[in-house]
Amino acid sequence: MKLLLALLLLVVPGTAFWSLLRGLDPVGRLVVSIAAAIVLIAGTAQTMLILGTWSLHGGLIALGALSALLALSGRVHRRRQPPPAALPPRPVPAGANVTRQDLRLPHKEEAEDDDWLFKE
Amino acid sequence: MNVTVRAAGHPEGRSESTPPAPRVGRPVLFGIIGLMTLGTLLFWVPLRNVDMDAMSGHGLISVLPVATLIGAAALVLAFMWTLALPRPRVLLLSLQILILLCSLHGVTLALEPIARFPTSWQTAGLIEYVMRNGDVSWTLDARFSTPGFFAFMAFLAKAVGQNDLEPLLRWAPPVINLLYLVPYVLILRVLRATWRAKWLAAFLFLAANWVGQDYLSPQAFAYLLYLFFVAILVNWFRHHDERLQRPGRRRSGETRERTGGFWRVYNWLFSVKDPGELPAPQVAVRQQSILLFLLFGLILVGTAAHQLTPFLMTASCAGLVVARRCSLRGLPFIAGIVYAGWISFMTVGYWVSRKKELIDSIGDLLGNLTQSTSGRISNSSPQIADIQQLRILITLVIVTLAVAGLLRRRARGIDDRVALVLMLVPFSSLGLQNYGGEIALRIYFFMLPAACLLVAYLFFPAPFDAPAVRDPKIRIRFGRLRTGPWRHVPAVAAASLFALALTGGFLTVRYGNEKFEQVRESDIRAFETMLDVHRGPIGVVWLTGEDAAATGGNPNTMPWGFRDWERFQYTPVLANRANPGDVTPIVTAMQQQAAGGAGAFFITTRSNEDAQVLNTSLARDYATRMRAALDAAASQPAPKIKKVFGDRDAAVYGLVQQPAPAPVPGPTGLGLRSSPWTPAGMVYLPVLLGVLLARELRRLRLPPNDLRRLRPLTVLATPLLLSVVAVIVERFIVIK
């Protein structure tokens, strides 16, 4: 029971952060959300301790508000921008099987032009 | 180079160009699962009948049943067998890693009724202090200057209503090691290596981690944050330099003529290589910005949680930047400023009294090294020395094999820069920390993620699964073992031998000091009794065989201070080697405590007695004779002391005439101090961090060749940085 409660405490900020990161792959997104949940809870607790305003309920409320804010900003962003139709497939789909012979190595001058435009 | 590459590692039907991997027969899978089950049973079932009292100075290994060791070997071999299969069985491998993790790091759960390792009980005491007071007290313990972890745990425990911290302590090692694997997966997946190398690295990361820093502690938490930090950096902020690389001067006509031994070695080391990492995944700038904020959060939380880890975060990030594997070039500055700011503003209480000592210790490289290696071996029993030497041996073997693995990959034309940086970075902490003997341990601990990977590369250096088919016309030596379905077996066999040896070594050295690192229920009850008998501060007298200045006067073999931390104070009393029956020094020390207004108690526990025998070569029967003498003194007519608590494992004696309970001082907070320039610093520091963060956000949005446009922010940040540095220096000089 207590374990479930603790998990719930971690899941709430984790899920909020999860909703922010739509472009990431599932595994990366999950790991990052776990990290974010830990950071949010620990950060809240530390801030309360340093400011001398330690209170359990205050902390829980702050955490909930923070999570709601994150989830809201993710939602607002999603509504403003329809989801991109998945990122363009990577030029090298074979993943691990790439060596420098297989990679197209653009010259520095080539890479300069407008590669970056497509980043977002 | 017109080899048609055939990946054996993809499941069926993933893509048309990759033919299906050879099928694995059911019998093989059943064999693996059977071996795994057998290993698990053999490991755990005999643990019920272990006699912990028979333990020798070699620790747990001296009482572990042979069946358990065979079980461990079976588990390792089942894992290795799975690695020899033609394609990864992810579910099976994960399950095996999980079982190995529980077996290696949780073996004491079945043997000891309560959580092991006295230091972890002290962490519990610090957490309990925060839970009870909602505040810290810098005067009580240096660990309170970085209270982040205690605040985190206290908040969690309080929120779920878990007031008894013992279960947390007990389950912490396996859970924390499991958590370490989460970011480690993220690090592993960006590497250009076969699945065999990656899974072996994950196993080695468990089995080589004998350091024992994975109990419930700030450093374990901060290490987790460090792994997350590095994982995010190498996943989403890797430099795209590998795309821009081109054969330059090194491939010109001139270099082609360079032949001969020297140039062969030169080319082996420095010629054009494939990067050891896969091309970085493309993510949108928005995602990167969010991740940048998360990195900043990790830095902040890590800095507030532990005093050494943020330095390593800064250094690893700087190392990746220098090696051109990290695009956030300003992040090391941010991390460094946060670190320096925290030390200057928040840990005043710690450094103000140790100014001279700190200055002296900086740069004392040689002293640190000799202290951490040889200093730990001296004047202890041969059994303890055996364990220490085995620890050093394992460390040296891991480092040597890691270097060999690195060279083997280089010989294959792969440049493992990320792994190299992560392995070298921890050495930078050698001269900087006032950590004394422990720093070598920490360096090994932080080296481990990269070192395990490089060791795995030694056995499986291929960047991808080798083609399954070769030209049959070309005859190669030992062709049957090097081609066809058996081609992985030699490497797996070699890796198995190493894994078996390492697992044996792990079980030996990880629990090598178990004789005095276990905590018995009586120890806890002894301290509880003191708290119950006397209200008010308590002066604890304990026995030591040598000068106890090294431990700061605290009995580090007892679970002291796990509750009501502020009520305890400790005085060691030196053992009278000539006459164990001489209780006068003990009574004198107790009377001194009582004169100071504290309830005086003498405590002796079996862990402490064993530790004194093993570490300071006190006579074996010293404790028995001393206890007999104390009992005799307590049963005299008109005794000065009385027995408050006593059983086989622990005994507590108190003065008959205790002073009246004195009030206990309340929490004193973080002990922040101000200086004339401090208010300015409090403004400059957040502004500087904001400007630097804005600079990094801008950098993410700029094309790679247009970094000139960062200059306005750089110009803005420079005077701010100088001001903050000035404030920090001023604080260091002014505050006395």
Side-chain angles (χ1 to χ4, degrees):
Chain A
M1 185 62 210
K2 282 170 181 169
L3 200 65
L4 282 181
L5 266 180
L7 278 181
L8 183 73
L9 196 60
L10 279 167
V11 162
V12 171
T15 321
F17 211 80
W18 169 276
S19 70
L20 277 184
L21 296 166
R22 267 184 314 150
L24 259 56
D25 57 291
V27 178
R29 207 171 163 187
L30 180 70
V31 176
V32 169
S33 302
I34 295 173
I38 295 175
V39 164
L40 285 175
I41 297 179
T44 313
Q46 285 167 5
T47 314
M48 286 193 304
L49 192 75
I50 292 168
L51 298 181
T53 52
W54 181 268
S55 92
L56 179 61
H57 294 281
L60 287 177
I61 290 168
L63 211 55
L66 215 58
S67 308
L69 204 68
L70 284 181
L72 199 73
S73 78
R75 201 175 161 75
V76 166
H77 181 78
R78 206 175 321 160
R79 196 164 292 173
R80 230 187 309 159
Q81 285 189 352
L87 285 170
R90 290 242 304 274
V92 197
N97 301 352
V98 191
T99 65
R100 65 172 173 276
Q101 277 82 11
D102 302 321
L103 280 175
R104 200 177 62 87
L105 297 171
H107 287 242
K108 277 220 162 108
E109 297 78 22
E110 244 180 87
E112 232 172 48
D113 42 38
D114 44 14
D115 241 357
W116 61 278
L117 274 176
F118 301 106
K119 266 194 151 179
E120 185 163 26
Chain B
M1 193 65 193
N2 284 327
V3 178
T4 315
V5 174
R6 210 185 94 170
H10 280 297
E12 297 178 25
R14 171 77 60 87
S15 107
E16 283 181 31
S17 65
T18 53
R23 290 184 141 270
V24 177
R26 281 256 167 86
V28 175
L29 283 183
F30 281 136
I32 292 175
I33 293 171
L35 189 60
M36 192 177 84
T37 321
L38 181 75
T40 315
L41 290 177
L42 274 178
F43 189 92
W44 288 101
V45 174
L47 289 182
R48 287 191 305 177
N49 306 319
V50 171
D51 175 20
M52 291 292 275
D53 289 341
M55 199 187 299
S56 79
H58 282 134
L60 200 62
I61 195 81
S62 61
V63 291
L64 279 187
V66 181
T68 297
L69 298 180
I70 295 175
L75 283 173
V76 171
L77 288 178
F79 180 72
M80 288 299 166
W81 192 358
T82 323
L83 283 190
L85 297 182
R87 69 178 175 87
R89 299 271 170 179
V90 176
L91 205 63
L92 192 59
L93 286 165
S94 315
L95 187 66
Q96 284 172 326
I97 285 281
L98 204 65
I99 294 176
L100 279 164
L101 186 152
C102 290
S103 305
L104 292 180
H105 289 276
V107 73
T108 49
L109 289 177
L111 293 173
E112 295 169 15
I114 57 170
R116 70 184 289 281
F117 204 40
T119 315
S120 72
W121 285 86
Q122 288 143 35
T123 320
L126 295 168
I127 295 169
E128 192 263 352
Y129 188 88
V130 176
M131 277 171 82
R132 190 157 34 86
N133 293 310
D135 202 352
V136 291
S137 217
W138 68 277
T139 41
L140 281 184
D141 195 283
R143 277 168 278 187
F144 268 152
S145 357
T146 45
F149 173 71
F150 309 120
F152 173 56
M153 285 312 296
F155 184 71
L156 263 189
K158 201 132 197 191
V160 302
Q162 177 77 22
N163 288 320
D164 176 19
L165 296 173
E166 196 273 332
L168 296 183
L169 299 183
R170 193 141 37 110
W171 288 95
V175 171
I176 287 174
N177 274 290
L178 185 66
L179 283 174
Y180 287 166
L181 286 182
V182 173
Y184 199 46
V185 167
L186 223 55
I187 297 177
L188 287 180
R189 69 172 196 169
V190 300
L191 298 165
R192 199 186 291 271
T194 58
W195 61 272
R196 289 190 186 83
K198 294 179 182 180
W199 281 98
L200 181 63
F203 164 70
L204 293 177
F205 188 53
L206 293 178
N209 185 5
W210 56 262
V211 189
Q213 295 293 340
D214 44 16
Y215 56 96
L216 193 75
S217 62
Q219 60 264 38
F221 175 67
Y223 189 71
L224 179 68
L225 297 182
Y226 167 81
L227 286 178
F228 274 121
F229 181 79
V230 170
I232 293 174
L233 273 188
V234 299
N235 265 276
W236 293 289
F237 295 100
R238 203 128 39 75
H239 219 281
H240 286 247
D241 240 15
E242 60 256 35
R243 277 194 327 123
L244 303 176
Q245 184 195 41
R246 60 178 161 151
R249 212 157 34 82
R250 290 178 186 155
R251 274 194 185 167
S252 64
E254 180 201 347
T255 51
R256 210 163 290 146
E257 286 162 20
R258 291 168 169 179
T259 49
F262 171 76
W263 288 112
R264 194 143 15 105
V265 175
Y266 181 87
N267 285 337
W268 179 38
L269 290 175
F270 302 117
S271 65
V272 179
K273 309 275 184 206
D274 281 330
E277 304 84 36
L278 296 172
Q282 303 270 352
V283 286
V285 177
R286 185 184 136 87
Q287 259 75 39
Q288 278 193 321
S289 314
I290 295 170
L291 289 171
L292 176 64
F293 279 111
L294 180 59
L295 287 174
F296 185 59
L298 283 167
I299 292 170
L300 288 181
V301 172
T303 307
H306 191 229
Q307 63 273 55
L308 176 66
T309 311
F311 174 77
L312 281 155
M313 281 185 181
T314 316
S316 60
C317 182
L320 288 172
V321 167
V322 169
R324 300 183 69 78
R325 286 289 178 273
C326 172
S327 49
L328 292 175
R329 293 192 207 165
L331 195 64
F333 289 100
I334 297 180
I337 290 164
V338 170
Y339 188 34
W342 180 273
I343 289 185
S344 175
F345 286 92
M346 292 296 185
T347 66
V348 194
Y350 180 75
W351 55 255
V352 84
S353 56
R354 297 177 176 78
K355 261 193 210 175
K356 211 176 132 31
E357 189 189 321
L358 279 175
I359 294 168
D360 288 346
S361 76
I362 288 176
D364 187 10
L365 277 170
L366 209 63
N368 265 346
L369 252 184
T370 47
Q371 205 185 346
S372 34
T373 50
S374 62
R376 302 201 133 223
I377 294 179
S378 63
N379 86 44
S380 51
S381 80
Q383 292 170 321
I384 295 288
D386 287 346
I387 296 290
Q388 291 293 11
Q389 270 160 358
L390 191 56
R391 284 180 178 165
I392 294 175
L393 181 73
I394 291 180
T395 310
L396 289 180
V397 166
I398 293 277
V399 172
T400 316
L401 292 186
V403 172
L406 186 79
L407 292 179
R408 189 162 182 209
R409 287 270 284 189
R410 282 204 88 88
R412 293 213 164 199
I414 304 165
D415 176 19
D416 291 298
R417 233 185 267 186
V418 167
L420 180 65
V421 167
L422 292 182
M423 187 161 137
L424 291 183
V425 150
F427 285 99
S428 61
S429 62
L430 199 56
L432 277 161
Q433 271 286 327
N434 189 19
Y435 248 71
E438 253 187 64
I439 196 75
L441 218 68
R442 299 296 166 97
I443 290 175
Y444 175 72
F445 190 38
F446 278 96
M447 229 169 56
L448 217 47
C452 289
L453 185 68
L454 291 174
V455 174
Y457 284 166
L458 178 65
F459 299 105
F460 305 107
F464 47 82
D465 271 329
V469 182
R470 287 180 188 245
D471 188 349
K473 282 181 210 145
I474 300 172
R475 290 183 65 95
I476 49 177
R477 278 198 290 173
F478 305 112
R480 184 158 300 182
L481 282 179
R482 292 172 65 187
T483 56
W486 286 86
R487 66 189 182 285
H488 305 300
V489 171
V492 171
S496 308
L497 285 181
F498 174 66
L500 283 177
L502 186 67
T503 310
F506 174 89
L507 284 173
T508 312
V509 301
R510 172 72 166 81
Y511 305 104
N513 296 341
E514 200 61 18
K515 199 161 169 68
F516 54 86
E517 278 185 354
Q518 61 177 310
V519 175
R520 298 179 173 91
E521 281 169 294
S522 305
D523 302 4
I524 303 296
R525 244 178 287 141
F527 278 94
E528 294 274 8
T529 314
M530 281 188 253
L531 289 168
D532 292 344
V533 167
H534 188 82
R535 318 237 151 254
I538 292 170
V540 179
V541 180
W542 60 283
L543 184 83
T544 173
E546 60 177 356
D547 187 21
T551 61
N554 295 326
N556 57 9
T557 53
M558 296 182 198
W560 52 279
F562 62 89
R563 187 158 79 80
D564 289 340
W565 182 285
E566 69 276 27
R567 282 175 60 192
F568 285 104
Q569 57 201 38
Y570 303 88
T571 317
V573 57
L574 199 62
N576 182 353
R577 284 171 195 262
N579 179 15
D582 178 19
V583 297
T584 339
I586 294 174
V587 176
T588 316
M590 283 162 81
Q591 279 165 342
Q592 277 167 1
Q593 286 288 345
F601 294 93
F602 174 76
I603 183 170
T604 178
T605 65
R606 215 138 61 81
S607 300
N608 187 45
E609 291 159 6
D610 290 337
Q612 301 309 333
V613 171
L614 288 169
N615 286 329
T616 68
S617 51
L618 214 59
R620 242 167 225 295
D621 60 344
Y622 188 97
T624 333
R625 290 169 65 187
M626 178 189 71
R627 281 208 209 185
L630 282 167
D631 284 340
S635 56
Q636 277 172 359
K640 281 185 188 158
I641 55 171
K642 63 177 179 198
K643 194 169 189 173
V644 182
F645 175 85
D647 64 10
R648 216 171 119 263
D649 295 334
V652 177
Y653 301 86
L655 280 186
V656 173
Q657 292 195 326
Q658 299 281 22
V664 183
T668 51
L670 278 162
L672 308 182
R673 305 266 286 276
S674 189
S675 71
W677 291 4
T678 301
M682 299 286 280
V683 175
Y684 291 154
L685 187 62
V687 174
L688 171 64
L689 288 174
V691 170
L692 286 177
L693 264 180
R695 189 165 167 264
E696 292 313 297
L697 287 173
R698 182 117 178 89
R699 188 197 301 278
L700 290 176
R701 283 162 176 77
L702 287 178
N705 297 313
D706 205 10
L707 297 181
R708 259 171 314 161
R709 281 153 72 184
L710 286 179
R711 273 184 204 161
L713 286 168
T714 317
V715 168
L716 190 58
T718 314
L720 281 167
L721 176 67
L722 291 178
S723 322
V724 168
V725 170
V727 171
I728 289 176
V729 171
E730 187 256 5
R731 280 178 62 87
F732 192 73
I733 294 169
V734 169
I735 297 179
K736 288 206 168 65

